[in-house]
Amino acid sequence: MSGSRERILGRVRAALADVPAAERPDDVAVPRDYAAAHGGGERVALFAERVADYRAVVHRVPADGLAEALARALARRGARRVAVPADLPGDWLAAADAVAVPDGALPVAELDAVDGVVTGCAVAIAETGTIVLDAGAAQGRRVLTLVPDYHLCVVRADQVVDAVPQALPRLDPRRPLTWISGPSATSDIELDRVEGVHGPRTLEVVITE
Amino acid sequence: MSATFVGMPAFPEAARAATGDAQLRHNLRRATHTIRDKRAAVVGELDDWAGLRAAGKAVKDRTLRHLDVYLERFEAAVTAAGGQVHWAADAAEANRVVTDLVLATGERDVVKVKSMATQEIELNQALAEAGITAYETDLAELIVQLSDDLPSHILVPAIHRNRAEIREIFRDRMAAWGAPAPDGLGDDPRALAEAARVHLRERFLRTRVAVSGANFAVADTGTLVVLESEGNGRMCLTLPDTLISVVGIEKLVPTWSDLEVFLQLLPRSSTGERMNPYTSTWTGVTPGDGPQEVHVVLLDNGRTDVLADTVGRQALRCIRCSACLNICPVYERTGGHAYGSVYPGPIGAILTPQLRGTGGAVEAALPFASSLCGACYEVCPVAIDIPEVLVHLREEVAGGAGHRAERAAMGAAGWVLGDRRRLDAAQRAASAARSLAPRHLPGPGAAWTDTRDLPEIPEESFRSWWRRRSGPGEGAR
Ligand code: SF4
């Protein structure tokens, strides 16, 4: 296999015979005069609006109203057992009737059997209505937010950035990232967008500020 | 699974068959126009689209001009993060590498997330020969696989099927592949999506090996990036123990922050969304989270030949958004199968002949499968000048030996351009664009024209170009 490595690199170098030997990658200019953000109005309001555009359910609550909001959401959903990351802040579900099932290494079948999952996030992007999970604080491993059919996600206002270019520097590429923009969807059948194929079919977002 | 493009009739014959199919044409027209409109709306939201497009083009050019540096950097980063990198010079080697990796796990089933590269190398067939079953999990790919069909569009591979046909396929074929379709399945897209969910659920939860492609590979960090909608990608990338990703060497971008350009360009240009539902990124192995054995197969398979052509090289900038398919008057009439390759539409017309050479009838005909109207260049988010490459490849075919070129050209062009009405329709669209287009467009169109001149819609029609090249009654030499 190392033979192919040398062969491919050799072919690449031969193919690039027209590139001057002294040229360095950075000598190829990249114009960066695109905008850092596109000014869509107040950041948190824009985020809420754009998430809702994907037919996700969105709430804005004061920070001290979080436990109440989560309890209401879970009750509305009829969720009785919800998976949570092991480090979910203890007070988040203090008011909820639902039983929290903390993830250590829950088997997938177990995750398939719970009524939903509650997590935080790492970053949120207003312009695109995107939530990014990085498996860090209050998020757990990736499978936790994948197998349950209902994802209730908490976003703090200070986690919301304007646009994609502000999100990347806040994220560590060495961590596994999941960017979520609305519930799972497909447009494969006559281009009708249908929510929900394999990922959570319902996404509910609570923004605290 | 036996479906293959090998031995496809060359473009004109396939195209003639396709244009006769009223259902296909109806489905295609509706689909391409729907995506075009969605795309135009979300691209219009960004007043700096032209700037993003210029940056996307330049980042890819930087990568391609120093691809050896970036490939080595990527390999080192993946290795440092606990992943293993393999190099495959051609399809046969890539298939061998993947097959051996799967066999080594002792498993005989793999789940797959849609990947053009694995279709290009016909991996599923190779795995089948080794007794391994590959299950496609993208809804459209599932439809294609269950019906033993071929994909016809980059983004919506089953674009040629309507809901009634899909219901038939699910009802008749699902049981042979796993969980059967529910009794009384209707043709509501919601019910069909639910049937796909149920059909694949247990498969996802059980299968230990996955095969994926990647939309981007970040050289600096060794990170792979997959954009998707349904969550089947997340299932494949997260649940199995072993993940094997087949990645064309042109998928590299230099740095993590370069993604800020492509994560804006691709979703808007592709599905016409501000962002696709799910994007996953991973770097080697993360202990306790996701596959603990991670392989990346770097695929050449003709790409270095494309790289060697200083005009054709730009085709390697392609990020497979499929905007050029949706805008193309020829694609709209013929559908994807006529292009005889997994890469249909304008990008296929320049990529396939370069990847495979212009020796075969299909490959020689493809550069002629266009009226050179320039709409594809206009919508391309990385500014690939497809008409320029088409003309360049026509010269190459025309310069080939014997009457091959004439046959190829007149065959293909005969279809697109021979019929008066079709020609008129195509040319009308093109020259309307041409005569209306000042060098810079005002309003939302400015996004396309600010950083460059409008595409050169050729003065000359194909007919007169061909006449000039060949002389009356004479074949080109
Ligand atoms: S050639 Fe351009 S428009 Fe066509 S699929 Fe590739 S990136 Fe998209």
Side-chain angles (χ1 to χ4, degrees), chain A residues 12-168:
Chain A
V12 168
R13 290 179 186 121
L16 295 171
D18 61 302
V19 176
E23 184 180 297
R24 304 271 72 90
D26 287 349
D27 295 340
V28 183
V30 174
R32 300 279 182 185
D33 45 9
Y34 49 87
H38 300 89
E42 198 268 318
R43 185 188 296 156
V44 175
L46 181 65
F47 173 69
E49 177 197 315
R50 294 281 156 97
V51 174
D53 275 355
Y54 297 123
R55 289 181 235 175
V57 185
V58 186
H59 313 274
R60 293 175 71 173
V61 302
D64 60 6
L66 175 61
E68 176 84 4
L70 293 179
R72 267 200 313 268
L74 291 172
R76 231 181 353 255
R77 172 79 186 179
R80 288 194 302 266
R81 294 176 69 245
V82 289
V84 298
D87 63 347
L88 194 86
D91 51 347
W92 283 15
L93 293 183
D97 293 332
V99 176
V101 183
D103 181 39
L106 286 176
V108 201
E110 181 80 6
L111 287 175
D112 203 23
V114 296
D115 299 319
V117 57
V118 182
T119 71
C121 73
V123 171
I125 305 170
E127 207 169 274
T128 58
T130 303
I131 292 161
V132 188
L133 307 183
D134 72 352
Q139 297 158 68
R141 54 193 182 128
R142 284 174 285 175
V143 68
L144 191 61
T145 49
L146 174 60
V147 175
D149 200 17
Y150 168 70
H151 182 190
L152 179 56
C153 187
V154 177
V155 177
R156 289 194 323 264
D158 65 11
Q159 291 177 313
V160 183
V161 300
D162 288 322
V164 173
Q166 286 93 50
L168 286 161

Side-chain angles (χ1 to χ4, degrees), chain A residues 191, chain B residues 28-38 326 332:
Chain A
L191 292 151
Chain B
L28 268 176
R29 198 186 141 72
R30 182 170 175 277
T32 53
H33 284 253
T34 305
I35 314 187
R36 266 151 80 161
D37 296 347
K38 282 177 67 185
N326 300 328
E332 187 186 308

Side-chain angles (χ1 to χ4, degrees), chain A residues 186-205:
Chain A
T186 183
S187 302
D188 279 350
I189 301 164
E190 295 183 9
L191 292 151
D192 268 356
R193 185 176 157 123
V194 176
E195 274 76 41
V197 193
H198 306 294
R201 288 183 283 191
T202 306
L203 174 67
E204 188 157 356
V205 179

Side-chain angles (χ1 to χ4, degrees), chain A residues 4-5 11 13 18 23 28 32 34-35 38 53 112 147 173 179 181 184 188 190 193 197 201, chain B residues 30 48 62 65-66 68 75 93 140 163 194 197 201 230 258 260 273-274 277 279 283 300 313:
Chain A
S4 291
R5 178 185 193 278
R11 281 194 208 156
R13 290 179 186 121
D18 61 302
E23 184 180 297
V28 183
R32 300 279 182 185
Y34 49 87
H38 300 89
D53 275 355
D112 203 23
V147 175
W179 300 48
S181 305
S184 150
D188 279 350
E190 295 183 9
R193 185 176 157 123
V197 193
R201 288 183 283 191
Chain B
R30 182 170 175 277
D48 64 337
R62 173 184 282 177
R65 286 175 75 85
H66 298 277
D68 52 333
E75 180 190 39
E93 186 175 13
R163 61 182 74 189
E194 166 78 21
R197 178 182 171 101
R201 190 80 182 169
E230 297 169 13
D258 286 326
E260 72 187 23
E273 294 167 301
R274 296 187 182 110
T279 296
T283 304
D300 180 350
R313 179 182 296 164

Side-chain angles (χ1 to χ4, degrees), chain B residues 39 154 266 269 314-315 317-325 344 346-348 350 376-377 379-384 386:
Chain B
R39 176 186 189 283
I154 293 178
L266 183 51
S269 200
Q314 56 185 312
R317 292 203 297 258
C318 176
I319 55 174
R320 313 272 188 266
C321 73
S322 71
C324 59
L325 279 62
I347 182 59
I350 61 170
C376 48
Y377 173 42
V379 295
C380 178
V382 285
I384 299 170
I386 294 175

